[in-house]
């Protein structure tokens, strides 16, 4: 059974700082890994998707990397802004069956102005 | 671009009542997934459908059932509601044959059981 863990559970940084969020998964047989953002009480916004054959994806100030063999992914946020404050979830899609997604435990980020 | 539509967005029910949540996938998407997110928890997979057939099953209680219709929309039926069923229910859709099979999530239905 796939288990996905995110460290740290919560993070508070001053505005402008660069930061890294970590995601680890136990089963390296994955199809892809996706990073989401969730604002309190709101839905999931997809940020980046990395296919199992890829090493990284970039979108604006965000960069996600994937090391499938070690079961790790990182989300790098450059020049953080107060609007980045949210919970960030990584989600791993397995290769078996119809590829349901297993979500991580989330990192709650607060960017202080 | 069209997104996943869920209705209703908010629902309040009493214990032991029933509830039906609806999900309309992105056009041409053939797979629908249901997730439950309790307060302060990460989303948990419930069930999925591909081409109107159940394709995978997660931690869905026996009191819940779901189906996918000919127009690909899906409904999650919840009976004998319990306080613990209060959660945000997400639907996601994807196109299985698509290049990345990326799941696109709807805004969710917030169910409150009183």
């Amino acid at each position: 059974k796939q288990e996905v863990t995110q460290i740290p559970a919560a993070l508070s940084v001053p505005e402008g700082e660069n930061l890294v969020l970590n995601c680890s998964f136990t089963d390296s047989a994955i199809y892809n890994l996706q990073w989401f953002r969730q604002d309190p009480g709101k839905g999931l916004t997809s940020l980046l998707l990395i296919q199992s054959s890829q090493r990284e994806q970039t979108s604006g100030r965000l960069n996600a990397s994937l090391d499938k063999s070690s079961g790790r992914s990182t989300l790098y946020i450059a020049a953080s802004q107060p609007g980045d404050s949210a919970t960030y979830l990584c989600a791993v899609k397995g290769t078996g069956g119809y590829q349901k997604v297993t979500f991580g435990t989330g990192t709650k980020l607060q960017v202080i102005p | 671009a069209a997104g996943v539509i869920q209705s209703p967005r908010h629902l309040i029910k009493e214990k032991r009542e029933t509830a039906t949540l609806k999900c309309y996938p992105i056009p041409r998407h053939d797979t629908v997934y249901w997730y439950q997110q309790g307060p302060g928890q990460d989303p948990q997979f419930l069930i999925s459908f591909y081409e109107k057939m159940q394709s995978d099953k997660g931690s869905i209680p026996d009191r819940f059932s779901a189906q996918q219709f000919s127009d690909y929309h899906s409904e999650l039926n919840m009976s004998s509601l319990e306080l613990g069923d209060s959660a945000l229910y997400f639907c996601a859709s994807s196109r299985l044959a698509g290049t990345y099979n990326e799941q696109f999530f709807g805004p969710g239905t917030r169910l409150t059981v009183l």
Side-chain angles (χ1 to χ4, degrees):
Chain A
K1 179 187 174 187
Q2 179 75 271
E3 293 183 4
V4 184
T5 306
Q6 291 184 244
I7 296 173
L11 183 62
S12 184
V13 300
E15 181 178 1
E17 193 163 293
N18 302 325
L19 59 100
V20 175
L21 306 181
N22 298 291
C23 171
S24 60
F25 46 95
T26 55
D27 186 350
S28 61
I30 66 169
Y31 188 80
N32 62 39
L33 184 145
Q34 199 165 355
W35 281 92
F36 292 91
R37 168 193 172 131
Q38 186 174 32
D39 293 289
K42 302 293 186 180
L44 299 167
T45 301
S46 179
L47 299 173
L48 289 165
L49 181 144
I50 311 177
Q51 289 297 102
S52 62
S53 58
Q54 297 175 323
R55 297 285 292 182
E56 65 178 319
Q57 283 287 334
T58 299
S59 176
R61 295 183 292 110
L62 304 179
N63 175 278
S65 68
L66 174 64
D67 184 342
K68 198 172 67 166
S69 60
S70 67
R72 293 181 181 181
S73 175
T74 61
L75 178 67
Y76 175 82
I77 302 177
S80 59
Q81 303 171 357
D84 294 332
S85 298
T87 295
Y88 290 80
L89 294 156
C90 69
V92 172
K93 178 176 286 187
T95 57
Y98 287 84
Q99 306 167 342
K100 68 176 185 284
V101 166
T102 302
F103 281 85
T105 46
T107 294
K108 186 173 184 178
L109 172 66
Q110 182 182 22
V111 180
I112 303 168
Chain B
V4 177
I5 298 172
Q6 290 188 246
S7 69
R9 294 293 309 277
H10 301 272
L11 189 59
I12 299 175
K13 291 285 186 179
E14 300 277 345
K15 279 174 54 178
R16 292 179 288 277
E17 286 190 322
T18 61
T20 297
L21 310 185
K22 297 183 179 182
C23 169
Y24 297 87
I26 292 172
R28 293 184 297 281
H29 279 195
D30 48 26
T31 308
V32 168
Y33 309 79
W34 285 97
Y35 295 86
Q36 177 192 56
Q37 185 177 29
Q41 300 178 2
D42 51 282
Q44 295 292 318
F45 170 74
L46 292 178
I47 194 167
S48 64
F49 292 87
Y50 167 66
E51 286 291 344
K52 292 150 279 185
M53 299 288 289
Q54 180 181 308
S55 55
D56 207 349
K57 194 172 181 180
S59 52
I60 184 169
D62 292 339
R63 299 177 288 108
F64 295 5
S65 64
Q67 57 182 323
Q68 186 180 31
F69 295 85
S70 58
D71 64 352
Y72 293 98
H73 95 271
S74 178
E75 293 183 4
L76 177 65
N77 298 294
M78 310 159 72
S79 62
S80 303
L81 287 170
E82 302 173 355
L83 296 178
D85 295 330
S86 295
L88 193 55
Y89 290 84
F90 289 107
C91 168
S93 75
S94 70
R95 185 165 171 266
L96 194 63
T99 304
Y100 295 118
N101 196 14
E102 181 178 357
Q103 289 188 18
F104 294 84
F105 282 78
T109 293
R110 181 167 294 284
L111 172 67
T112 302
V113 181
L114 302 175

